[in-house]
């Protein structure tokens, strides 16, 4: 039971750290006097680490699940400590503080990538097989709670009414680093079950002819592009929201704390949507549910573009309710009929997370050169591709094409 609790804490940390990073954008933009494009480099530094998904998956095959879990926590904890100490040192030395912040958060992200590769498998094996689905649902719920709490943590703990300036950025990152390293130390001495995927495949009794390499399955690559586009949708909304507030209240006002606090409603909507989605999936076919959520999410964004003030902002926030089930559905469509190639495919599809690293600065550039409305309209392109992948692209090359 104690081992499962520790792994649940890791699942919480993954969601908390990921959302906390994005929630820092508006404050950093004011603190470092950044353009919209420069502010989005926070996303680039963090999500760019997912380029290492495949190498980290290969590393996992060498050092095992527990070794990867311990290394991931150690790297993330070190990144937090470097963030706190490094920024203070950079300020004293008159160096570029923003670069230090980005580099340290990239290191934190490397740890998170490793953790994501191993957390879910441990949740499944730490307990009876019959309760595996329940434990997975609980871990996702904790992840969602973390993504909801992170913007509030930024607003009321890190920002806490401070004037946006470089010395206010580190906040309590040192405490987060020490806590993460403490969990890492506990895991070193904690006995965790060995995960033998080969044995699990034999016990499942599934026999099918597979291609020689995961790279020969086109739906895997199309799925990776689907995750790439999905990250533009999921992260695009909270990244554009501060600029919506800026346009509404005025450039000179302190809109950062207000915008960051409203991000909790977006991530909270995703949390509610995940619980509802789990119940709805029992009654509806996944492709139909994903298509419906994509259309409804696009409708929310369309309304946010044409409606003024807080009404438009609430429409944008409401999209989170429909974004909530997209990640697992897209991911699972990319993992169909792969058998022994499933682990390798997971690394390939995870690489698509770099979409947030690439698409967000491009949207930020559009905010600087045109308007937040034009940048927000990019989301419709992302929605369109995912709809195509859901209904057509994900069936490419499958032996048993699903209707």
């Amino acid at each position: 039971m104690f081992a499962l609790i520790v792994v649940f804490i890791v699942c919480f940390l993954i969601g908390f750290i990921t959302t906390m990073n994005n929630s820092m954008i508006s404050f950093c933009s004011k603190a470092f006097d950044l353009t919209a494009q420069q502010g989005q480099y926070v996303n680039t530094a963090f999500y760019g680490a997912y380029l290492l998904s495949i190498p980290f998956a290969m590393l996992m095959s060498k050092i095992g699940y527990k070794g990867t879990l311990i290394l991931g926590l150690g790297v993330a904890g070190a990144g937090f400590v470097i963030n706190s100490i490094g920024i203070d040192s950079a300020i004293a030395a008159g160096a570029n503080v923003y670069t230090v912040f980005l580099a340290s958060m990239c290191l934190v992200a490397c740890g998170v990538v490793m953790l994501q590769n191993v957390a879910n498998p441990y949740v499944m094996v730490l307990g009876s097989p019959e309760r595996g689905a329940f434990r997975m649902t609980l871990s996702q719920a904790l992840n969602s709670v973390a993504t909801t709490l992170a913007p509030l943590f930024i607003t009321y703990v890190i920002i806490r009414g401070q004037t946006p300036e470089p010395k206010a950025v580190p906040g309590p990152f040192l405490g987060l680093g020490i806590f993460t390293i403490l969990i890492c130390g506990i895991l070193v001495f904690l006995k965790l079950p060995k995960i033998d995927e080969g044995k699990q495949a034999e016990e499942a009794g599934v026999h099918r002819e597979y291609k020689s390499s995961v790279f020969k399955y086109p739906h895997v690559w199309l799925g990776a592009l689907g995750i790439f586009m999905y990250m533009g949708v999921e992260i695009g909304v909270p990244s554009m929201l501060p600029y919506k507030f800026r346009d509404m209240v005025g450039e000179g006002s302190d809109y950062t704390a207000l915008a960051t606090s409203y991000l909790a409603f977006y991530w909270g909507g995703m949390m509610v949507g995940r619980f509802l989605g789990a119940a709805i999936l029992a009654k509806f076919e996944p492709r139909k549910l994903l298509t419906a959520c994509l259309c409804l999410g696009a409708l929310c964004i369309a309304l946010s573009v044409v409606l003024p003030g807080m009404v438009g902002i609430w429409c944008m926030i409401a999209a989170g309710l429909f974004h909530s089930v997209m990640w697992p559905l897209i991911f699972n469509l990319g993992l169909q009929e792969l058998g022994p190639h499933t682990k390798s495919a997971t690394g390939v599809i995870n690489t698509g997370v770099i979409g947030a690293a690439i698409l967000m600065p491009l949207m930020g550039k559009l905010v600087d050169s045109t308007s937040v409305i034009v940048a927000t309209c990019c989301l419709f392109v992302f929605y369109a591709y995912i709809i195509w992948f859901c209904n057509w692209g994900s069936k490419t090359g499958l032996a048993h094409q699903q209707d």
Side-chain angles (χ1 to χ4, degrees), residues 235-273:
I235 305 302
V237 170
S239 295
M240 293 298 105
L241 201 60
Y243 306 122
K244 291 276 285 186
F245 274 99
R246 182 192 66 185
D247 291 350
M248 184 179 71
V249 302
E251 179 75 43
S253 60
D254 184 13
Y255 61 89
T256 56
L258 178 64
T260 303
S261 66
Y262 269 82
L263 292 179
F265 292 107
Y266 173 75
W267 296 111
M270 291 192 68
M271 178 180 66
V272 172

Side-chain angles (χ1 to χ4, degrees), residues 346-360:
T346 298
V348 173
I349 297 174
N350 264 333
T351 306
V353 176
I354 65 168
I358 296 172
L359 297 175
M360 294 307 99

Side-chain angles (χ1 to χ4, degrees), residues 19-30 147-162 164 237-246 254-268 313 317:
T19 309
M20 183 185 72
N21 176 74
N22 181 263
S23 301
M24 285 293 294
I25 290 176
S26 59
F27 189 75
C28 285
S29 295
K30 293 279 285 187
T147 61
T148 304
L149 292 178
L152 300 177
F153 177 80
I154 294 295
T155 303
Y156 298 111
V157 178
I158 293 184
I159 296 176
R160 61 180 185 279
Q162 295 189 69
V237 170
S239 295
M240 293 298 105
L241 201 60
Y243 306 122
K244 291 276 285 186
F245 274 99
R246 182 192 66 185
D254 184 13
Y255 61 89
T256 56
L258 178 64
T260 303
S261 66
Y262 269 82
L263 292 179
F265 292 107
Y266 173 75
W267 296 111
I313 286 174
I317 290 172

